[in-house]
Short mmCIF file of all heavy atoms in Angstrom, two decimals:
data_model
loop_
_atom_site.label_atom_id
_atom_site.label_comp_id
_atom_site.label_asym_id
_atom_site.label_seq_id
_atom_site.Cartn_x
_atom_site.Cartn_y
_atom_site.Cartn_z
N GLU G 1053 31.75 -45.00 44.76
CA GLU G 1053 31.10 -45.10 46.08
C GLU G 1053 29.61 -44.99 45.87
O GLU G 1053 29.14 -44.04 45.23
CB GLU G 1053 31.63 -43.97 46.97
CG GLU G 1053 30.81 -43.61 48.18
CD GLU G 1053 30.83 -44.69 49.24
OE1 GLU G 1053 31.79 -44.73 50.04
OE2 GLU G 1053 29.88 -45.49 49.27
N ASP G 1054 28.84 -45.98 46.36
CA ASP G 1054 27.40 -45.95 46.09
C ASP G 1054 26.60 -45.11 47.09
O ASP G 1054 25.46 -44.75 46.83
CB ASP G 1054 26.83 -47.37 46.02
CG ASP G 1054 27.03 -48.13 47.32
OD1 ASP G 1054 28.10 -47.97 47.93
OD2 ASP G 1054 26.12 -48.87 47.72
N GLU G 1055 27.19 -44.81 48.25
CA GLU G 1055 26.47 -43.96 49.20
C GLU G 1055 26.66 -42.51 48.78
O GLU G 1055 27.75 -41.95 48.94
CB GLU G 1055 27.03 -44.14 50.61
CG GLU G 1055 26.55 -45.39 51.30
CD GLU G 1055 27.38 -45.67 52.54
OE1 GLU G 1055 27.17 -44.99 53.55
OE2 GLU G 1055 28.26 -46.54 52.47
N ASP G 1097 35.24 -47.73 47.10
CA ASP G 1097 34.44 -48.39 48.13
C ASP G 1097 34.43 -49.89 47.81
O ASP G 1097 34.60 -50.28 46.66
CB ASP G 1097 33.03 -47.79 48.08
CG ASP G 1097 32.09 -48.41 49.10
OD1 ASP G 1097 32.57 -48.88 50.15
OD2 ASP G 1097 30.87 -48.40 48.83
N LEU G 1098 34.24 -50.75 48.82
CA LEU G 1098 34.24 -52.19 48.52
C LEU G 1098 32.84 -52.75 48.28
O LEU G 1098 32.64 -53.54 47.37
CB LEU G 1098 34.93 -52.97 49.65
CG LEU G 1098 36.44 -52.78 49.77
CD1 LEU G 1098 37.01 -53.76 50.79
CD2 LEU G 1098 37.16 -52.93 48.44
N MET G 1099 31.88 -52.37 49.11
CA MET G 1099 30.53 -52.91 48.94
C MET G 1099 29.73 -52.04 47.99
O MET G 1099 29.29 -50.95 48.34
CB MET G 1099 29.85 -53.05 50.29
CG MET G 1099 30.44 -54.21 51.09
SD MET G 1099 29.66 -54.47 52.69
CE MET G 1099 30.46 -53.22 53.68
N LEU G 1100 29.60 -52.53 46.76
CA LEU G 1100 28.96 -51.76 45.70
C LEU G 1100 27.93 -52.63 44.99
O LEU G 1100 28.07 -53.85 44.96
CB LEU G 1100 30.01 -51.33 44.66
CG LEU G 1100 31.03 -50.28 45.08
CD1 LEU G 1100 32.24 -50.34 44.15
CD2 LEU G 1100 30.43 -48.89 45.06
N PRO G 1101 26.92 -52.03 44.39
CA PRO G 1101 25.97 -52.82 43.61
C PRO G 1101 26.65 -53.38 42.35
O PRO G 1101 27.62 -52.80 41.86
CB PRO G 1101 24.86 -51.83 43.25
CG PRO G 1101 25.43 -50.48 43.48
CD PRO G 1101 26.55 -50.62 44.47
N LYS G 1147 36.00 -46.58 57.24
CA LYS G 1147 34.92 -45.68 57.64
C LYS G 1147 34.49 -46.00 59.07
O LYS G 1147 34.46 -47.18 59.41
CB LYS G 1147 33.70 -45.86 56.72
CG LYS G 1147 33.89 -45.46 55.30
CD LYS G 1147 32.60 -45.80 54.54
CE LYS G 1147 32.80 -45.78 53.05
NZ LYS G 1147 31.65 -46.33 52.33
CA1 CA E 981 29.04 -49.09 49.72
#
Side-chain angles (χ1 to χ4, degrees):
E1053 161 69 83
D1054 60 321
E1055 281 167 77
D1097 180 28
L1098 290 188
M1099 287 182 280
L1100 290 161
K1147 294 177 195 170

